Amino acid sequence: MTIKDTPEEWEIRATETPFVGNKTSVRTDDVVMPDGKVVRRDYQVHPGSVGVLALDDEGRVLLIRQYRHPVRQKLWEIPAGLLDVPGENPLHAAQRELYEEAHVKAEDWRVLTDVYTTAGGCDEAVRIFLARDLSEAEGERFEVEHEEIDLEYARVPVEELVRGVLAGELHNNCLVVGVLSLVAAQNGDGLDALRPADAPWPARPFES
């Protein structure tokens, strides 16, 4: 048996959108189960996101610390952001987020991993990139607002992040998945064997 996720769509008898927000919405579908019963499913409709695990020449990961109101915590995270434009190339979005949030650019980009953050209640898909050969971006810093006004920055060795993840001290989804995927890749076929930055992404098809 091949262990691989596969596309499938069960019949939907009815659908409605009871809430529409600024970036996301809530959808209610009446879905036909395998036994023929129709069950109502509520879920958040999300445009998708990108994250950037930026690794410097000293083996440190670029982090930002940001207040997240839903969980009432300041979390250490990797740079990340929404796919605001339908069909946008996720690499371009990742490059933009790295510049806007950290004023950093990278010459080497790879796909580290693709995940659904909460598949039971949200259709958000995230592509996490590995960015290497880092340098400070040119020009003025991006003007931030809201929670980003209070950002803190750090460059942390990978080993310290792994310890923090396993100790339950770091909780951001993209950081946890990104760091553990990085270590798995380093211990496997190596970082240069990762997928190219423009690898297909069926969850969020994009233009070249």
Side-chain angles (χ1 to χ4, degrees):
M1 180 174 61
T2 301
I3 305 300
K4 180 179 179 180
D5 296 336
T6 56
E8 184 169 337
E9 187 167 353
W10 292 358
E11 180 185 355
I12 298 173
R13 291 283 175 84
T15 186
E16 59 185 70
T17 306
F19 171 79
V20 177
N22 184 32
K23 297 292 185 181
T24 67
S25 61
V26 173
R27 183 175 298 164
T28 299
D29 291 340
D30 291 341
V31 185
V32 181
M33 297 290 110
D35 61 2
K37 293 181 179 179
V38 178
V39 177
R40 177 155 287 196
R41 291 288 178 259
D42 303 315
Y43 59 99
Q44 182 185 17
V45 178
H46 194 285
S49 307
V50 291
V52 184
L53 193 145
L55 184 68
D56 69 16
D57 293 339
E58 297 179 35
R60 302 175 302 174
V61 176
L62 171 63
L63 299 184
I64 58 176
R65 189 170 182 237
Q66 183 171 351
Y67 175 66
R68 293 302 188 182
H69 186 70
V71 295
R72 308 298 199 272
Q73 291 196 37
K74 271 193 168 182
L75 299 180
W76 285 106
E77 307 177 352
I78 60 176
L82 298 176
L83 289 168
D84 293 312
V85 181
E88 180 180 18
N89 188 310
L91 174 60
H92 299 165
Q95 292 169 332
R96 181 184 67 241
E97 292 299 331
L98 185 60
Y99 162 72
E100 291 181 357
E101 294 193 349
H103 201 65
V104 167
K105 64 179 181 179
E107 299 301 324
D108 187 278
W109 291 82
R110 312 268 173 164
V111 174
L112 190 53
T113 190
D114 299 323
V115 295
Y116 290 112
T117 55
T118 319
C122 179
D123 72 350
E124 180 184 15
V126 181
R127 168 158 281 188
I128 302 175
F129 289 91
L130 171 66
R132 293 181 292 175
D133 194 4
L134 309 180
S135 62
E136 185 174 354
E138 301 173 355
E140 297 182 0
R141 284 187 171 271
F142 182 76
E143 187 174 347
V144 297
E145 59 181 358
H146 307 310
E147 290 91 344
E148 294 180 346
I149 293 175
D150 195 37
L151 289 184
E152 300 173 51
Y153 302 88
R155 294 197 181 200
V156 184
V158 174
E159 296 78 8
E160 183 176 337
L161 294 177
V162 171
R163 184 206 61 77
V165 168
L166 299 180
E169 299 169 354
L170 299 171
H171 306 90
N172 173 258
N173 184 288
C174 288
L175 172 59
V176 171
V177 172
V179 166
L180 298 185
S181 295
L182 173 71
V183 173
Q186 289 174 326
N187 293 334
D189 295 331
L191 301 183
D192 291 335
L194 290 168
R195 286 173 291 163
D198 60 352
W201 189 17
R204 292 293 185 274
F206 58 90
E207 301 172 3
S208 301

